[in-house]
Amino acid sequence: MNPYVLVALLCSFLFAVGAILCKYSMRKLKTDVHPDIFELAWFLVRNRIWFLGVFISLVTNVVVLQIQSVLDLSVIHSILTSTYIFTLLLGYLFLDEELTPGQWFGTLTVIVGTTAILFIGEPITGTETRIGNLMLLSILSMSIISSLLLFAKTCERINYEITYAISAGIAFGNCQVYVKASTNMIEDQTGSFSVLSLQSISEFLNIWPSLALILFSVTGFLCMHISFSHGKISICVALLAVISRTISTSSGYYIYGENFPPVKILSILIILTGVLIITLTSLKKEERIPSPA
């Protein structure tokens, strides 16, 4: 087994820890209405637990950056889907969020698919970046995000946290794709990429895909935290996970030319099915909870 695969699994757990800390830090934010973004920002910058959660997530992202420069996008982000499983279980243990039989079944399904991905024989098969397809994905994604945010702002009959979670998922999916594009470009220019190399970091900050990466990162970060501020983490992270992973894994094929043998396809489908089961059962569970008078 490739050692990077095991590190990716560890990163998925650390991402979950970061998300739980961020959600836990917001328990003191009392609001039943659409939060003002400046009020939310002022609340967060004074919150040490939130900063710890963000710090863990940032450090983990640096590690993922190195892993993603080596492994196929479809492999690493299939493994990172288990972030949601860890988040679900940690939310159950530390945030008192109840799990339904459907959520437990979905969890088991994702674990089965992830285990199969861990033992794929060829986790490195990708080729050069197809820039035309990458730009098409970006334009389409930003158009959908803009439409969703406008809809959330103007329509009072929807659960806005779900709309923001979907937007965050689209944005973070593009982030994952652009990280791979950036590391590919640096490897083409210098022959290698390392997060410990000043040359690699300098190149990373100066190439054009990094600008798109920053745009999608900021968009996803803001949408995720607005979603967390009111919605349940079991629902918000589920939507974010299934959308971002669908974008990143499928991009491995149509942007990076990765090989998709039957075992990989089946494993990915099992993982996405499990997350979809969890998402749907979480939404149904939320609908059954009566609104406070």
Side-chain angles (χ1 to χ4, degrees):
M1 181 186 298
N2 191 304
Y4 282 109
V5 170
L6 296 178
V7 177
L9 188 62
L10 174 61
C11 287
S12 68
F13 174 74
L14 293 176
F15 276 133
V17 172
I20 289 295
L21 289 173
C22 287
K23 176 60 180 178
Y24 181 82
S25 69
M26 293 181 182
R27 285 191 159 185
K28 294 181 179 180
L29 181 64
K30 304 297 183 182
T31 176
D32 294 323
V33 298
H34 195 299
D36 179 84
I37 190 169
F38 297 106
E39 178 185 355
L40 177 62
W42 178 241
F43 172 81
L44 292 177
V45 297
R46 296 177 296 159
N47 196 308
R48 294 180 181 178
I49 296 178
W50 178 80
F51 268 111
L52 178 60
V54 171
F55 176 75
I56 291 174
S57 297
L58 289 176
V59 172
T60 306
N61 269 305
V62 173
V63 179
V64 170
L65 178 62
Q66 181 65 57
I67 301 172
Q68 193 162 286
S69 69
V70 179
L71 295 181
D72 280 356
L73 202 64
S74 55
V75 171
I76 183 173
H77 288 293
S78 294
I79 296 172
L80 289 177
T81 303
S82 59
T83 294
Y84 179 59
I85 300 306
F86 288 124
T87 305
L88 200 68
L89 296 176
L90 291 174
Y92 172 77
L93 293 173
F94 298 106
L95 299 181
D96 299 323
E97 294 196 358
E98 297 181 359
L99 300 182
T100 65
Q103 288 173 316
W104 283 114
F105 178 72
T107 297
L108 179 61
T109 304
V110 174
I111 291 173
V112 170
T114 303
T115 302
I117 283 286
L118 293 176
F119 292 96
I120 283 181
E122 294 183 275
I124 306 172
T125 62
T127 57
E128 73 283 348
T129 306
R130 299 167 182 171
I131 300 298
N133 291 351
L134 177 62
M135 298 306 296
L136 180 62
L137 172 66
S138 301
I139 294 171
L140 181 61
S141 296
M142 286 307 300
S143 299
I144 295 174
I145 290 173
S146 299
S147 299
L148 286 171
L149 297 185
L150 179 62
F151 185 61
K153 194 70 175 178
T154 57
C155 183
E156 298 180 354
R157 296 183 177 181
I158 63 168
N159 295 325
Y160 72 84
E161 65 271 14
I162 293 178
T163 306
Y164 277 100
I166 294 173
S167 299
I170 296 172
F172 284 136
N174 278 267
C175 287
Q176 295 151 9
V177 175
Y178 269 102
V179 166
K180 185 67 173 178
S182 299
T183 56
N184 277 2
M185 186 174 293
I186 293 170
E187 287 183 345
D188 290 341
Q189 294 175 355
T190 65
S192 63
F193 173 83
S194 172
V195 294
L196 301 178
S197 166
L198 292 178
Q199 181 184 6
S200 293
I201 298 301
S202 176
E203 291 284 346
F204 187 86
L205 295 175
N206 286 284
I207 55 179
W208 69 265
S210 294
L211 297 177
L213 176 60
I214 292 172
L215 173 62
F216 281 112
S217 296
V218 172
T219 300
F221 183 83
L222 292 175
C223 289
M224 180 182 72
H225 280 84
I226 291 174
S227 180
F228 281 0
S229 69
H230 190 65
K232 283 197 171 184
I233 197 167
S234 58
I235 297 176
C236 297
V237 177
L239 289 170
L240 193 158
V242 73
I243 292 169
S244 65
R245 298 310 181 224
T246 299
I247 291 174
S248 59
T249 52
S250 59
S251 294
Y253 176 77
Y254 65 84
I255 294 180
Y256 299 106
E258 297 173 1
N259 293 338
F260 275 73
V263 174
K264 180 190 283 189
I265 294 174
L266 180 61
S267 300
I268 292 173
L269 288 177
I270 291 173
I271 291 171
L272 293 178
T273 298
V275 176
L276 183 60
I277 291 171
I278 297 169
T279 304
L280 293 177
T281 53
S282 297
L283 291 173
K284 289 180 180 179
K285 173 184 173 183
E286 186 73 6
E287 290 175 357
R288 290 195 297 267
I289 298 176
S291 302

